[in-house]
Amino acid sequence: MSILDGAPTAAGPRPYGGIGQSVRDSLVVARRNLIRMARIPEVVIFGLIQPIMFVVLFSYVFGGSIAVGGNTDPSAYREFLMAGIFAQTVTFATAGAGAGIADDMHKGLIDRFRSLPMARGAVLTGRTLADLVQTALTLVVLAIVAVIVGWRTHAGIPKAVAGFALLLLLGYAFSWIGALIGLSVRTPEAATSGGLIWLFPLTFISNAFVPSDNMPMVLRNIAEWNPFSATVQAARQLFGNFPDGYPVPAAWPMQHPVWASLIWSVVIILVFRSLSVRKYRSATA
């Protein structure tokens, strides 16, 4: 018997399988992306400038000119506005998610990940989770700015937390749309443009900035069944930000906005995550 026969065998890492491996790999990729974001703070800073500008411009430039439910008080419009600004902020993160994935594809980083023994969907899931953390930090800063300009909640802390949770869920759902766009284009610049070009009509043909009852019939129907509008309406309800006299449309998503927001967000995640993972496998095959 040789010495090697009696030598203890080095214990390797315990193998993971199925969901366990996918969760572990996704968290590893998310950590990598968060470290990368921390090393480039200007990305986070520039991401904060636009929503803060929207808050200030809409609050002080348009606040006294837009009546909500017959109420022309600027403070009433600020409270009406903030749910829309919050929702716009979380959905505009879609462009950043798409650009980040397109950049990783362009530099060959995705191919390096693919050569490792890891779950196929973990690369995309980790990226979207990291974007969710960044979006949450942006929302915290934006909420502080909103309080400074006069925004308040009136339905209690638990409901306010639930409102922010719905906003983050919508942002996470839209980040999967950004992932699909990032996998479908060749450059980060194209991903940024592709991630924004459809967001502007989606956010403006909605109840985010003005009540939908003043829109033409066709646009009103689009706005009332818009997933973005459902989350804005749900956030207003949970924040207690409906001004006195505000007319609630008769469409089902506007009458039951919390359920509508949850359904829309879950459907978007299921559909676009499946499409993104399939595109990821074919794009790197």
Side-chain angles (χ1 to χ4, degrees), residues 35-83:
I35 292 174
R36 181 184 180 187
M37 291 176 185
R39 291 175 178 173
I40 314 176
E42 56 267 26
V43 174
V44 179
I45 295 173
F46 291 152
L48 286 170
I49 292 176
Q50 179 177 308
I52 290 174
M53 288 176 58
F54 270 109
V55 171
V56 175
L57 289 174
F58 275 88
S59 296
Y60 294 105
V61 177
F62 301 116
S65 304
I66 300 177
V68 182
N71 191 339
T72 58
D73 185 359
S75 63
Y77 180 69
R78 288 190 197 108
E79 294 196 350
F80 174 86
L81 169 72
M82 283 315 305

Side-chain angles (χ1 to χ4, degrees), residues 11-17 20-21 24:
R14 186 175 180 178
Y16 288 79
Q21 179 181 0
R24 173 178 173 269

